[in-house]
Amino acid sequence: MIRNLLALAAVAILPTISMAADKKITVGFAQVGAESAWRTANTKSIKEEAEKRGIDLKFSDAQQKQENQIKAVRNFIAQKVDVIVLAPVVEAGFEPVLKEAKRAHIPVILSDRRAKVSDDSLYVTFIGADFIEEGRRAGEALVKITDGKASIAELDGTPGSAPANDRKKGFDEVIAKHPDMTVIMEQTGEFTRAKGKEVMEAFLKSPEGKNITALYAHNDDMALGAIQAIEAAGIKPGVDIKIVSIDGVKSAFEAMADGKTNCVVECNPLIGPQLFDLVADVVAGKTVAKRTDVKEGVFMQEQAKDELPNRKY
Ligand code: GZL
């Protein structure tokens, strides 16, 4: 009798276990937007990896607006996803919605950019680059390219975003050691090519414009827009105005191979595989490191032609 009952119980449980085993992992991904070639490559890497691993990915493009990202996270909570991935467009202002995710027992992974929180338990882990180090690398490259003497125009990323804050911090740390390296004008280009061109046009038209000898752009897209403005003004980018930018997108390597920019600091967007390894560990209840770094290099103009065929984004 007991044997029959046990056999019945086993049959009853099996489908649930096998269903549990087959249940697709659902991930809600609140992406910044589609503002740059870097971002497009980042989204592609994450979507492709989710597809490959049979993850049910719910994707939201916030068009660089924080309120859209907050709405998306609330949506994912309502849908009871297994994990939320958030790339915070700016550092401040996400604490309340992260608390709502915690109350709903949904783990959050911060991807690409950090959020400022008073309580680190509001997110499980952060995967992304060391933007301060990227800024230092850009500063050191520009010192080398200009022999430590430059009047610098700076195109900032999105105000309040971790990459803009930290790339500036790292760059300033390096040029502070070189009295003949000074930033003579600075403005945000919002990480976009169009805005980078528009701001560079205004820089060149300003009274100080004729003194610019170098450009530091927080991403390649703004540098590529600025190159268009520099050429339209009859000035030689990469020659009259030395240029350093960050990301490492293919079109920046093409510009560098054409001698129009002088250094590209890599910021790797292809984090899909690493991200979903973290998702798998989090879902399995494993402890994960609070931070996962991404690997990246620095490329000078003389390396551009050889490196170009290797570029994957
Ligand atoms: C950096 C990323 C930045 C890129 C820009 O990790 O957040 O945002 O540098 C993108 O191209 O817009």
Side-chain angles (χ1 to χ4, degrees):
M1 178 63 169
I2 294 175
R3 196 176 303 130
N4 293 347
L5 278 176
L6 282 177
L8 257 178
V11 167
I13 292 170
L14 260 184
T16 7
I17 293 174
S18 65
M19 253 166 49
D22 296 349
K23 178 182 171 298
K24 266 194 166 193
I25 294 177
T26 309
V27 172
F29 176 30
Q31 178 59 298
V32 167
E35 72 283 359
S36 65
W38 187 97
R39 185 67 53 198
T40 311
N42 180 246
T43 295
K44 184 166 176 281
S45 169
I46 289 167
K47 283 185 171 176
E48 283 177 354
E49 193 62 23
E51 177 80 24
K52 210 164 100 180
R53 297 186 187 212
I55 301 261
D56 177 5
L57 185 74
K58 298 182 184 312
F59 177 80
S60 149
D61 169 341
Q63 289 156 355
Q64 292 218 83
K65 292 187 176 64
Q66 180 171 38
E67 64 270 19
N68 291 346
Q69 283 197 302
I70 291 170
K71 247 185 257 158
V73 171
R74 288 204 167 108
N75 249 327
F76 298 148
I77 293 170
Q79 295 174 60
K80 297 187 172 35
V81 298
D82 297 308
V83 179
I84 290 170
V85 176
L86 168 66
V89 60
V90 290
E91 292 194 72
F94 283 98
E95 182 134 352
V97 77
L98 292 177
K99 283 181 177 162
E100 291 169 35
K102 185 174 180 183
R103 277 198 295 277
H105 306 294
I106 299 178
V108 174
I109 294 176
L110 295 182
S111 165
D112 171 29
R113 298 184 182 178
R114 284 186 326 285
K116 246 196 199 79
V117 289
S118 59
D119 169 5
D120 262 1
S121 74
L122 291 174
Y123 67 94
V124 177
T125 185
F126 162 70
I127 175 171
D130 178 344
F131 300 131
I132 297 179
E133 182 53 31
E134 288 174 353
R136 287 192 196 103
R137 290 175 181 172
E140 278 147 16
L142 197 59
V143 167
K144 209 163 116 193
I145 292 160
T146 60
D147 294 331
K149 193 171 173 23
S151 296
I152 305 160
E154 185 169 355
L155 285 170
D156 291 359
T158 304
S161 68
N165 293 339
D166 289 357
R167 285 172 180 170
K168 172 158 192 57
K169 194 169 163 196
F171 183 81
D172 285 354
E173 199 183 280
V174 169
I175 63 164
K177 297 175 207 150
H178 300 270
D180 293 335
M181 298 282 284
T182 39
V183 174
I184 58 169
M185 52 187 82
E186 174 176 6
Q187 196 178 322
T188 182
E190 291 291 349
F191 281 133
T192 69
R193 196 182 285 220
K195 193 81 177 142
K197 179 173 182 245
E198 183 193 311
V199 173
M200 193 67 202
E201 278 163 357
F203 280 169
L204 291 168
K205 283 190 187 123
S206 71
E208 276 263 46
K210 61 188 176 313
N211 303 329
I212 300 171
T213 62
L215 168 66
Y216 169 45
H218 292 187
N219 83 328
D220 295 343
D221 283 62
M222 293 190 291
L224 292 164
I227 285 169
Q228 289 175 299
I230 293 167
E231 289 181 314
I235 302 168
K236 286 202 193 73
V239 180
D240 304 326
I241 294 181
K242 304 296 186 192
I243 301 175
V244 173
S245 63
I246 300 175
D247 274 350
V249 297
K250 199 173 283 174
S251 34
F253 276 85
E254 285 157 355
M256 201 152 62
D258 292 342
K260 294 183 179 179
T261 182
N262 305 85
C263 169
V264 171
V265 175
E266 192 179 32
C267 176
N268 184 354
L270 308 180
I271 59 170
Q274 277 177 288
L275 177 64
F276 286 106
D277 284 347
L278 284 170
V279 167
D281 287 349
V282 169
V283 168
K286 289 183 190 161
T287 316
V288 294
K290 204 68 185 168
R291 177 187 178 122
T292 307
D293 282 320
V294 287
K295 303 275 165 291
E296 47 209 25
V298 184
F299 298 90
M300 304 302 274
Q301 193 178 82
E302 53 274 18
Q303 298 167 278
K305 285 197 172 71
D306 293 346
E307 177 59 21
L308 192 50
N310 308 329
R311 302 311 299 169
K312 298 190 188 76
Y313 62 94

